[in-house]
Each structure stands twice: as C-alpha cells, then as structure tokens.
Amino acid sequence: MAVVSVNWRAVTSWVGIARFFAVLLSCLSFSLVASTGYFGGPYGTWCMFSWCFCFAVTLLILLLELLELSSKLPVSWDDLTAAFAMLAALLVFTSSVVFPSAFISSPCSGARCARQAAATAMSCLCFLAYALEVGLTRARPGDISSFLSTVPGLLKVFEAYVACLIFSLLDSYSSYAGLQWCVAVYSICFIITFLIILLTIGRCLSYMPCPLEKVLVAYNALAMLMYLTAVIVWPLYSFNGRSRPNPCSTNCWWNKSLGVTFLTIFNFLAYLVDLVYSTRMVFIRAPS
C-alpha cells in the first residue's frame, strides 16, 4: 500500500512562506476585482488571467512539494520553479501597473473604487512575494547546477516575456522593410530564447554535441547586435517624422510604437547584461 509522505519544509521554509503569501495575495487580487464586476476588455482580461494563472500554478507547486511528488516529474524542478517565479513576478508587476491605469479614475470614490485600489495594493504585495522567492532561489556565484536560477537564466525569462509584450503592441509593420526586419529580430530571438528555457527545464541541453556555454555566449552576442539594429531602425521607420496625433487613446498607433521602442531598449540592455554575465561565467573562472 502506497504511503504519501509530507514534507512540511515546503511550507515552513522561507521560500515556502513566500509562495504561501503569493497564493493568498493573488487570490485576494482577482477576488476583489471579480467582486466589482468591472474588468472587461483586453487589459482587464489580461490582469485577471495573470492573477488566476499565478495563483493556480503556485498552489500546484506548493502541493507537489508538500507531498514530495516534484522529484517524480521528468523535469528539472529547480529550473522550472525558478523560471515560473520570475515569470510570475513579471506578470503580476505588469498587472499592478496596467490595472490601476486602465480602471481607476481620479477622483477615486465609492465602494467599487475602494475594492479596485485594494486589489492593486494586494497585487503589488504579491509582486514583492514573487520577487522575494526569486531572490531566495537565485543561484549563488559559482553555482550553475540550476541554470534558470542564475542571472543569465533569469534574464532569459525576462527577455522572452518582454518579447511577448512587444508582440502584443505590434500593429502595422508591413509598410517598410525596416519594420519587417525588427519584427524578424523579435521573433527569432524569442523563439531561440524560449527553446533554451524549454530544453533547460526538460533536461535536454546536456545532449547537445557542442560546448553549450560558449554557444550561449555566441547567441547572446548575436541577439544583442540584432536588438541594437532594432533599437535604431524601429523608431526611425515607425515614427518617420510623424507627430503624435491629438487625441491619442490607449490603442493609438503612436503610443503602441513608443511602447515597442522602450521595450526594445529594455531587451537590448537585457541581452547586453546577459552577455556580460555569461562571458564571466564561461571565460573568467573564480580562483580556487
């Protein structure tokens, strides 16, 4: 007869406590918003999805670790949880910014606005809980047993997430070859980065017939150069001397193009930092 053992450290360790608060705060966030009945449109749907998704997956992680079932899964559990914690922190942070911007108007009065403000506060605290988990599980210098918990691994999750945000803001890019090149840059780098994350979680990178660390350094250098061209080309062709229309709503092409411009700069800086850290890990060995 199979006996299920319980690992109480899954909920009593600092990481477990951070996950417990993330579950509680994400639940409070979407519950408060749901009680208002006012979360329609793409931005409200995105925020509700983020809170519900993070709540469900974090609760599942807690249960699997509590019942000691995580070791039976054919994946790198440390890489999976590190990548998810980073992704959840990014998702909740985005929701904490988007939701009040889209749904809370000034002056704020009434019961509905109070619940929306409380949901925003819970979301901000939830982001801090996930950020704490990322800090607690991040690999220490010299420890590369779990790649996605290292700085380059966490940056991979950030780079893929920012690329998804860029895709969500793309509107019209077929009028100029320069804009098509930028979209190709975003797509190629996203696909390769996402594959690296999946192969790491699936423990498949060790089967590659080439020195993986040096390949990653070369890829980071190439991605950084490609994004550098996008940093220059995208605003040059996207704005093309056109001024901001008045009025310019949330879905205005000018606002979307400006958002893509800043996100492109963020990802360029992320790949630059990724390249620096990866190079140090591969070519600069710490003295023994």
Side-chain angles (χ1 to χ4, degrees):
M1 183 177 179
V3 178
V4 178
S5 57
V6 177
N7 176 24
W8 292 110
R9 276 193 55 80
V11 291
T12 58
S13 65
W14 285 113
V15 175
I17 293 172
R19 288 172 179 163
F20 173 79
F21 276 102
V23 168
L24 176 63
L25 292 167
S26 59
C27 180
L28 287 173
S29 297
F30 71 74
S31 298
L32 285 168
V33 173
S35 68
T36 66
Y38 183 61
F39 52 88
Y43 296 113
T45 303
W46 165 261
C47 294
M48 287 294 283
F49 165 77
S50 299
W51 293 321
C52 293
F53 173 74
C54 294
F55 165 80
V57 177
T58 307
L59 182 61
L60 179 62
I61 289 174
L62 276 174
L63 290 176
L64 289 175
E65 291 203 345
L66 182 65
L67 300 177
E68 294 188 336
L69 299 175
S70 58
S71 59
K72 303 183 185 300
L73 299 177
V75 296
S76 174
W77 184 252
D78 290 338
D79 284 309
L80 176 63
T81 53
F84 171 74
M86 184 64 177
L87 175 62
L90 294 170
L91 284 169
V92 174
F93 175 78
T94 306
S95 299
S96 301
V97 175
V98 170
F99 181 77
S101 302
F103 292 95
I104 299 181
S105 58
S106 181
C108 181
S109 61
R112 186 176 73 179
C113 188
R115 293 181 186 180
Q116 291 171 334
T120 302
M122 295 300 103
S123 183
C124 292
L125 292 175
C126 185
F127 161 71
L128 293 178
Y130 281 117
L132 176 62
E133 181 184 349
V134 171
L136 291 172
T137 58
R138 185 174 68 87
R140 299 297 174 259
D143 182 11
I144 57 174
S145 58
S146 175
F147 171 70
L148 291 181
S149 63
T150 63
V151 172
L154 295 173
L155 284 171
K156 286 285 180 289
V157 180
F158 177 84
E159 291 153 4
Y161 180 76
V162 171
C164 290
L165 292 182
I166 291 175
F167 294 143
S168 70
L169 293 176
L170 290 177
D171 192 3
S172 176
Y173 53 85
S174 58
S175 54
Y176 296 103
L179 298 180
Q180 295 176 17
W181 161 254
C182 293
V183 175
V185 169
Y186 305 143
S187 302
I188 293 170
C189 293
F190 169 76
I191 291 171
I192 297 177
T193 301
F194 188 62
L195 281 176
I196 291 173
I197 295 172
L198 287 182
L199 293 174
T200 302
I201 294 175
R203 299 175 179 172
C204 299
L205 288 178
S206 58
Y207 297 105
M208 294 183 64
C210 53
L212 176 63
E213 295 83 0
K214 295 182 179 179
V215 170
L216 290 177
V217 170
Y219 164 67
N220 289 333
L222 178 61
M224 184 201 68
L225 292 175
M226 293 174 69
Y227 260 91
L228 178 59
T229 64
V231 167
I232 299 171
V233 172
W234 177 265
L236 182 65
Y237 284 94
S238 181
F239 297 104
N240 197 26
R242 295 180 293 176
S243 59
R244 186 175 188 268
N246 188 20
C248 188
S249 64
T250 306
N251 293 320
C252 173
W253 68 266
W254 199 93
N255 286 341
K256 289 185 176 181
S257 296
L258 185 64
V260 172
T261 300
F262 278 104
L263 290 173
T264 302
I265 295 173
F266 292 158
N267 243 6
F268 164 72
L269 295 175
Y271 277 109
L272 176 61
V273 175
D274 197 350
L275 175 62
V276 172
Y277 268 91
S278 299
T279 303
R280 289 182 58 188
M281 290 174 61
V282 174
F283 298 105
I284 303 176
R285 302 294 182 180
S288 55

